[in-house]
Amino acid sequence: METIRKQASKLREQVARQQQAVLRQFGGGGGYGGSDTLITDEEEFHRHQNLEKLYISTRSAKHFQRDIARGVQGYIVTGSKQVEIGTKLCEDSRKYGSDNTCTIGDTLTRASLSFANARAFMEKERANLLKTLGTQVAEPLRAMVMGALLEDARHLAQRYDRMRQEAETQTIEVSRRQAKVRENPSNPELVMKLESAEAKLQDLNSNMTILGKEAASAMAGVEDQQQNQTLQRLLTLVEAERSYHQRILEIIERLEGEMRLEQQRIEAPQTPQVENITSSPPPSYQESNNGVDTSQMHNGTSDAMGYFLGEVMFPYQADSDFELSISVGDYVVIREVASSGWAEGECKGKAGWFPYDYIERRDRVLATKVIEVL
């Protein structure tokens, strides 16, 4: 008879375990702590499900925030290298424009300086963008990913999960002792152990309910903060990018406008203002020998020898033997500049007078050009 009772008790324990397994299977087991848990009542079941969802949501948000922070950091590293390259290009353009005066005009010089200035503004805007992305996007997200608020909430959820596992084990223990009491109801020791097990289960359930509410509240707060923080950082990122590209577009459009104006200036036909020049004839021989101080007449355009080199900007056709015909691009050795606005010089073996405003002084020219003049 005793053997039959023991076998019946074992069967009841097996049935209880199978019932718990069925409840776990249909109750959405495999919780956030990585183990199955016992479903005690409907309220606890919903709380457990909510915590599982919160745990998964906060974990996904954490990974998303981390990916954003890493991506922004990589963009900052790449952007910093681009700033270095752009700054070097800016310096080279400015140096070229300052050190290399073109012999046919200063068009390329002005273009180089304009490009250098525009590029400097663009690199400054890029540096400001990178600083904004670092301080207002990457750092706040990284601080939240590594922050204590999320970790504390996750620890509460994990403690709740462990307590549920303990309650599950205690429920099985209560079922086993209830079976023994039913087999031998007159045994006071079995009854006392059953009452102790039931009291412990009741305490676990009470503490589990309190801890579950606390963990759910903490996880919900973290989820809300994660969503708000991520949204704000994304908006900041988009706004910073938009403002940056708008400023870059303005700089490029301004540079393009300067380039087009310079192109129009080059392509437009130009005529010298020579109303006052053509009205006066070139100086006579006596006037040319009166020792005109050319350094005072033209703001010091002549050197100590009184000679300097000029490039012809407008053609002039001589009207007399005393005048000199010149063509655009010719180089003339200027030997004298009269107060009437005429200059006397030599070009290609011929000498004579021509309007001074038709040429521009050149301090440096190619050696081949000097040979052509001589």
Side-chain angles (χ1 to χ4, degrees):
M1 192 67 180
E2 184 66 25
T3 303
I4 295 175
R5 289 195 186 96
K6 290 181 180 180
Q7 291 178 351
S9 177
K10 290 181 180 180
L11 288 173
R12 291 191 189 96
E13 291 179 3
Q14 292 177 0
V15 170
R17 292 191 184 94
Q18 291 174 356
Q19 289 176 346
Q20 300 302 334
V22 171
L23 289 174
R24 287 196 298 269
Q25 180 179 359
F26 292 97
Y32 40 85
S35 62
D36 295 338
T37 54
L38 175 66
I39 308 303
T40 57
D41 55 34
E42 185 176 357
E43 182 181 359
E44 189 64 29
F45 170 70
H46 290 305
R47 183 180 299 114
H48 173 65
Q49 279 192 327
N50 184 39
L51 269 173
E52 277 191 326
K53 293 177 181 178
L54 288 171
Y55 195 92
I56 295 172
S57 174
T58 54
R59 181 177 57 191
S60 299
K62 175 182 178 180
H63 292 167
F64 183 49
Q65 289 178 332
R66 184 177 59 193
D67 291 342
I68 294 176
R70 288 177 177 175
V72 170
Q73 188 60 40
Y75 182 84
I76 292 174
V77 172
T78 303
S80 300
K81 295 295 183 181
Q82 292 176 341
V83 170
E84 293 179 5
I85 296 173
T87 303
K88 183 62 169 58
L89 176 60
C90 169
E91 294 174 355
D92 292 344
S93 298
R94 185 175 287 111
K95 182 178 179 181
Y96 180 86
S98 301
D99 297 347
N100 296 275
T101 303
C102 301
T103 59
I104 61 172
D106 57 354
T107 300
L108 186 56
T109 296
R110 287 198 296 268
S112 299
L113 294 176
S114 297
F115 176 81
N117 293 333
R119 192 73 196 188
F121 283 119
M122 286 189 284
E123 298 310 327
K124 181 178 179 181
E125 293 296 337
R126 187 193 297 272
N128 292 336
L129 170 65
L130 298 179
K131 181 178 179 181
T132 299
L133 295 182
T135 58
Q136 300 185 22
V137 178
E139 291 180 6
L141 291 179
R142 191 181 298 111
M144 190 163 189
V145 169
M146 305 298 296
L149 186 63
L150 174 61
E151 292 302 317
D152 291 344
R154 290 162 66 91
H155 287 326
L156 284 175
Q158 291 167 358
R159 283 177 54 195
Y160 169 78
D161 186 52
R162 288 193 296 268
M163 189 170 290
R164 282 178 60 85
Q165 296 177 43
E166 188 177 353
E168 174 187 1
T169 303
Q170 189 62 26
T171 300
I172 296 175
E173 178 67 16
V174 169
S175 298
R176 188 176 65 82
R177 294 192 178 277
Q178 285 175 346
K180 289 184 177 181
V181 169
R182 283 193 298 268
E183 294 174 1
N184 193 1
S186 60
N187 190 334
E189 184 180 357
L190 293 178
V191 174
M192 185 176 61
K193 289 182 178 180
L194 174 60
E195 292 175 351
S196 176
E198 289 176 342
K200 183 178 180 180
L201 178 60
Q202 185 177 1
D203 290 340
L204 283 173
N205 287 334
S206 178
N207 293 333
M208 184 175 60
T209 299
I210 296 173
L211 184 60
K213 291 180 179 179
E214 184 179 354
S217 176
M219 293 290 285
V222 170
E223 182 189 47
D224 184 64
Q225 185 178 5
Q226 283 179 327
Q227 292 179 355
N228 291 334
Q229 183 75 275
T230 303
L231 177 60
Q232 291 300 322
R233 296 312 103 198
L234 287 175
L235 289 175
T236 300
L237 191 152
V238 172
E239 177 62 23
E241 287 272 7
R242 185 187 66 83
S243 300
Y244 164 73
H245 289 295
Q246 282 184 341
R247 295 190 185 98
I248 294 300
L249 179 60
E250 293 173 359
I251 294 172
I252 292 177
E253 287 179 344
R254 185 165 59 248
L255 177 61
E256 183 186 20
E258 294 176 359
M259 294 291 189
R260 290 192 179 279
L261 286 176
E262 187 65 23
Q263 184 180 20
Q264 293 174 2
R265 188 186 70 82
I266 297 173
E267 295 177 351
Q270 301 181 14
T271 56
Q273 302 295 326
V274 292
E275 291 84 355
N276 296 329
I277 297 177
T278 56
S279 61
S280 301
S284 63
Y285 178 80
Q286 290 78 10
E287 292 174 340
S288 64
N289 291 327
N290 283 336
V292 179
D293 189 354
T294 57
S295 63
Q296 295 180 0
M297 292 304 303
H298 290 273
N299 299 323
T301 55
S302 61
D303 53 21
M305 298 295 295
Y307 289 19
F308 62 91
L309 196 63
E311 180 183 357
V312 179
M313 307 306 296
F314 306 100
Y316 179 73
Q317 185 65 35
D319 292 333
S320 66
D321 294 338
F322 295 99
E323 299 178 7
L324 177 65
S325 297
I326 53 178
S327 303
V328 175
D330 289 345
Y331 285 83
V332 185
V333 176
I334 309 300
R335 298 185 293 199
E336 185 179 349
V337 180
S339 59
S340 60
W342 286 78
E344 194 272 335
E346 182 178 351
C347 178
K348 298 180 180 179
K350 297 181 180 180
W353 292 86
F354 55 89
Y356 178 73
D357 285 349
Y358 278 51
I359 61 100
E360 286 186 3
R361 176 169 177 162
R362 291 289 178 261
D363 295 327
R364 294 183 300 175
V365 296
L366 298 175
T368 54
K369 295 296 183 181
V370 176
I371 295 174
E372 291 178 2
V373 173
L374 300 177

